Amino acid sequence: DSGRGAGMYLAAAVLADMCASILITPSLAFNQVLNSLVGQAMGSENPKMAGVWLQQSMFWLTMTMLPCLVGFFYVEPALLILGFSHDLARLAGTYAKYNVFWPVPNGLYQCMRFYFQAQGLPRPAMYNNIAFLFVNALLNYVFVFGGPFRHIAAAGNWRGLGFVGAAVSLSISRTAQPIAYFLYMFAYKKHHRPTWPGISLVHHTRARTMEFLLQAVPNVGTLLFQVCSGQVNTILVGRLGARAIAASSAISTITMPVAGTLGATTGTVTA
């Protein structure tokens, strides 16, 4: 692939993910409050309010995240401004553009997860995540390397999309994941019925909307500060070259299971 090493591709993916995180994280403030709001609704014996908060969360997350997706098309110039090489910035910019499809579906998936988690139903999301771990691996095999099609002459011995195939795989899996979860929890099991008020503007009064925003908006600044401070390390390491970024990413990936487990455990305190 144009003489580029694996370290260059990994570094480009890391930089694209860094930019994506900064762009989409502020909007996630609108689903982070669901654990506490839904928990309060259930505790006060007003279960229909849980559904109202879910609808508010999904609406505001979508409306605020959609404009941020424009930034995915400007990752390359942003990285050039930060002093990264043209080749690395171009790769990261291309990778980012293929990731533009999944942030909103993935954000809505988090809304649904937090909604049911606060009602004591966390296991379906866990099983769904495990299942899509394998789905994503299969998609990567197909879109990055061509999968079985590389051995089929009728398919032109297609060898996949290479580097951008990883982004395509991620977009497909993270878009299909919330669809599968919705079909199971809402359409099949109908777990939403006890807390679902129906879809009507009548439920979304000015007072309720202001209450939701008063709890969610302050988290925007907090999340943005956290993600920016966390990505400063990536920018500084990037000054050392693509290999340094790749090595830092590998270390972060190794420690992620521990950090993620601790984060999930402490997050239940608000429920």
Side-chain angles (χ1 to χ4, degrees):
D1 283 333
S2 303
R4 302 186 183 103
M8 174 68 79
Y9 289 107
L10 179 56
V14 170
L15 291 174
D17 288 342
M18 176 193 74
C19 295
S21 297
I22 294 173
L23 288 168
I24 69 176
T25 294
S27 298
L28 298 181
F30 296 102
N31 64 31
Q32 298 291 317
V33 296
L34 276 181
N35 267 333
S36 58
L37 288 175
V38 174
Q40 290 170 14
M42 301 301 292
S44 62
E45 298 183 357
N46 188 12
K48 299 297 182 182
M49 275 304 299
V52 173
W53 297 137
L54 173 64
Q55 292 174 20
Q56 287 271 348
S57 175
M58 297 179 84
F59 172 80
W60 289 109
L61 182 142
T62 303
M63 290 297 101
T64 57
M65 189 175 285
L66 282 174
C68 296
L69 298 182
V70 176
F72 279 62
F73 295 92
Y74 295 94
V75 167
E76 180 179 347
L79 293 176
L80 289 174
I81 291 173
L82 291 173
F84 292 96
S85 69
H86 287 271
D87 195 25
L88 186 57
R90 184 168 56 253
L91 279 174
T94 302
Y95 188 85
K97 290 174 184 176
Y98 283 93
N99 274 288
V100 75
F101 303 101
W102 64 259
V104 171
N106 188 65
L108 297 178
Y109 176 48
Q110 291 184 32
C111 292
M112 293 186 287
R113 278 175 43 211
F114 295 150
Y115 167 66
F116 286 114
Q117 177 180 304
Q119 298 179 54
L121 296 169
R123 289 189 178 183
M126 179 185 71
Y127 297 141
N128 192 45
N129 291 342
I130 293 173
F132 271 87
L133 177 66
F134 296 100
V135 170
N136 191 55
L138 178 62
L139 289 172
N140 270 284
Y141 173 59
V142 172
F143 284 98
V144 175
F145 303 107
F149 300 106
R150 64 189 301 157
H151 305 294
I152 302 175
N157 297 113
W158 185 60
R159 294 185 175 275
L161 301 174
F163 175 60
V164 298
V168 172
S169 302
L170 193 62
S171 289
I172 294 175
S173 64
R174 288 192 176 179
T175 301
Q177 193 172 15
I179 294 174
Y181 188 70
F182 173 83
L183 291 175
Y184 180 79
M185 298 298 285
F186 284 83
Y188 177 58
K189 285 293 187 178
K190 304 187 187 303
H191 284 309
H192 67 292
R193 280 187 172 178
T195 58
W196 192 251
I199 300 177
S200 173
L201 291 177
V202 174
H203 305 300
H204 301 281
T205 62
R206 180 181 177 85
R208 288 173 176 175
T209 300
M210 290 304 299
E211 181 180 352
F212 178 84
L213 292 176
L214 285 173
Q215 296 209 37
V217 171
N219 285 335
V220 173
T222 301
L223 291 177
L224 187 59
F225 172 77
Q226 288 177 345
V227 70
C228 287
S229 60
Q231 298 302 341
V232 166
N233 183 60
T234 302
I235 296 174
L236 293 176
V237 170
R239 299 295 181 179
L240 301 177
R243 289 187 178 181
I245 300 175
S248 176
S249 173
I251 295 173
S252 299
T253 302
I254 293 173
T255 59
M256 192 177 295
V258 176
T261 302
L262 290 175
T265 302
T266 56
T268 58
V269 175
T270 62

